[in-house]
Amino acid sequence: MAKQRYFLELAYDGTKYHGWQIQLKDISVQETISKAVSKILSEEITVIGCGRTDTGVHASRYFAHFSSIKEINENFLYNINCVLPKDISIINVYDFGPEAHARYDATKRTYAYYFHFNKNPFLERYSTYYPFYTLNFKVLQKAAKELKRYDQFKPLCRYSTKYKSTNCRIFESRWEQIDENRIRYVVAANRFLRSMVRRMVGVSVLLATSRMDFKTFNEIMDRQGEFRHKLSMPPQGLFLEDVEYPYLKSQ
């Protein structure tokens, strides 16, 4: 019997999860959803995601797919959300055909990283509290434009030797002022490397606090060298906010 392939549109709070991908010992989002789908369909299912997110990183719009010999009915969405914990929500289920692939068919991914400057217990899980230095917003914007100029990101990648290519095409790179207490960095690309967005934010913060100058930044990026500074920012401020496919309208 031919298998049906289904796409899941979902969102999750990554606080208690060790990233998307299944781990040997720790709980992951992928494992949690796979077990829930398997329970609903009474069939061993492994969902395939559109990409990795690290420990503690969130997703407000994420996609995954799975294949099943069973045809799901109109109650599937309700049933799966009853089984899943409160920090994971399945928003929609799509049938894009048997060849559709959540990871390989994605053409654009958009991330956002959030900062807040006044201590707020309601933001602690979803934004990074940054009271340490004043961030020069004009310098942040300049950094965003500089990052968009590049298409090789080895200096901003964790485990760069594991990649055949560190080429990424940046479509958008900008900082936005949400209100007087909050800002965010928005970046979109065809692909991202491990920890790349958090390191893009980290190097931008160094530039905006005069702990690195643009000459040093450009020299390292031009020769694809190594930054000596600690770049990676905390995970809770990072969200995967959109993924685009040829057959699905973006938000």
Side-chain angles (χ1 to χ4, degrees):
M1 184 177 180
K3 287 190 174 184
Q4 297 274 94
R5 179 162 290 186
Y6 299 101
F7 254 54
L8 302 177
E9 179 182 353
L10 59 119
Y12 57 84
D13 175 343
T15 303
K16 76 174 187 179
Y17 297 99
H18 289 258
W20 163 264
Q21 190 166 321
I22 290 175
Q23 307 290 318
L24 288 176
K25 297 181 179 179
D26 300 311
I27 186 172
S28 70
V29 181
Q30 183 183 25
E31 179 185 7
T32 303
I33 298 175
S34 295
K35 286 183 176 179
V37 176
S38 299
K39 182 176 181 178
I40 294 295
L41 297 180
S42 300
E43 179 185 352
E44 192 66 31
I45 298 290
T46 299
V47 297
I48 306 299
C50 60
R52 291 183 176 183
T53 56
D54 291 336
T55 298
V57 173
H58 315 293
S60 54
R61 198 181 195 214
Y62 188 98
F63 289 89
H65 76 257
F66 68 90
S67 297
S68 172
I69 59 173
K70 297 181 180 178
E71 186 172 342
I72 64 174
N73 59 37
E74 65 276 6
N75 296 321
F76 176 83
L77 191 61
Y78 172 80
N79 291 337
I80 192 70
N81 279 309
C82 287
V83 172
L84 285 168
K86 293 180 180 180
D87 50 13
I88 301 176
S89 173
I90 307 300
I91 300 165
N92 276 308
V93 183
Y94 304 96
D95 182 354
F96 294 131
E99 302 301 321
H101 198 287
R103 179 183 175 189
Y104 298 136
D105 291 354
T107 57
K108 181 180 178 182
R109 297 164 171 86
T110 302
Y111 280 89
Y113 194 95
Y114 292 82
F115 283 104
H116 61 286
F117 305 116
N118 295 327
K119 190 174 181 181
N120 186 330
F122 301 106
L123 294 177
E124 287 301 312
R125 288 174 61 168
Y126 309 112
S127 177
T128 294
Y129 176 45
Y130 197 82
F132 312 109
Y133 297 89
T134 299
L135 296 177
N136 186 319
F137 195 75
K138 289 184 178 179
V139 175
L140 287 176
Q141 292 286 43
K142 182 180 178 181
K145 291 179 180 179
E146 286 295 303
L147 284 164
K148 192 178 179 183
R149 290 200 305 110
Y150 292 96
D151 58 12
Q152 295 291 337
F153 289 91
K154 181 181 177 182
L156 298 176
C157 169
R158 188 181 180 191
Y159 307 132
S160 60
T161 56
K162 293 186 177 182
Y163 291 94
K164 292 181 180 179
S165 169
T166 55
N167 179 277
C168 302
R169 184 183 176 191
I170 306 297
F171 302 121
E172 301 172 47
S173 177
R174 67 183 185 276
W175 286 85
E176 297 176 346
Q177 188 88 43
I178 301 171
D179 56 38
E180 61 181 13
N181 179 46
R182 301 174 68 205
I183 62 173
R184 72 172 188 166
Y185 175 59
V186 179
V187 59
N190 64 326
R191 66 190 287 248
F192 289 94
L193 310 173
R194 187 80 179 269
S195 300
M196 177 175 156
V197 178
R198 288 161 62 191
R199 293 184 178 207
M200 293 172 83
V201 174
V203 77
S204 299
V205 167
L206 290 174
L207 291 165
T209 54
S210 300
R211 288 178 288 162
M212 182 187 295
D213 55 45
F214 279 97
K215 180 181 178 182
T216 301
F217 167 77
N218 290 127
E219 285 177 350
I220 293 173
M221 290 298 293
D222 288 342
R223 62 181 169 85
Q224 292 292 284
E226 184 176 342
F227 288 102
R228 295 183 179 180
H229 303 75
K230 181 181 178 181
L231 298 181
S232 191
M233 299 299 292
Q236 72 272 12
L238 183 59
F239 284 74
L240 175 59
E241 295 206 330
D242 198 12
V243 185
E244 293 187 19
Y245 296 90
Y247 37 74
L248 182 66
K249 186 178 180 181
S250 66
Q251 286 188 340

